[in-house]
Amino acid sequence: MSGHRTTSEAHPGPDTATDVVRWAVFSCVLVPLVLLWYGASLAGATGTALGLAAVTAACRVLLRRSERGTARLLDEEEAPHRGHRHRAVAGAHRGGRHAGGSTPVD
């Protein structure tokens, strides 16, 4: 189909980390209210809210760090190669013998 566009061409991908954090914040409010509705103590509901808030904050930090790492990797993949001496794979060696090979010793 000549007129068909993929979703990645039409607009950038959705910010899924933000969506996850929004739902987590929503649950930080909803869960204690439900606990109170069903007769849990105020202290228990408050403790639950604080625990969920702490987990949400930690997950948000980890998601943002992951996004930055992914963006950095994508930038490195798109960067042009610098001349013929650039090695594509870390630790790649040209021929020759090297000590400590992986051959078994009797």
Side-chain angles (χ1 to χ4, degrees):
M1 295 179 174
S2 61
H4 180 69
R5 291 168 65 176
T6 62
T7 57
S8 62
E9 292 173 0
H11 56 79
D15 190 7
T16 55
T18 301
D19 291 342
V20 169
V21 172
R22 284 181 184 162
W23 279 106
V25 169
F26 175 72
S27 72
C28 287
V29 174
L30 182 66
V31 169
L33 291 176
V34 170
L35 288 173
L36 287 173
W37 182 267
Y38 283 101
S41 69
L42 182 61
T46 302
T48 300
L50 292 175
L52 286 172
V55 170
T56 299
C59 289
R60 182 180 182 273
V61 168
L62 293 173
L63 283 167
R64 295 296 177 205
R65 185 180 296 174
S66 174
E67 285 179 338
R68 284 193 304 266
T70 301
R72 192 176 327 124
L73 285 175
L74 290 175
D75 288 342
E76 288 175 3
E77 287 178 359
E78 293 174 0
H81 295 292
R82 297 183 197 148
H84 69 281
R85 294 181 188 242
H86 176 74
R87 284 194 247 187
V89 178
H93 297 285
R94 291 186 211 172
R97 302 183 117 206
H98 45 262
S102 61
T103 57
V105 178
D106 290 334

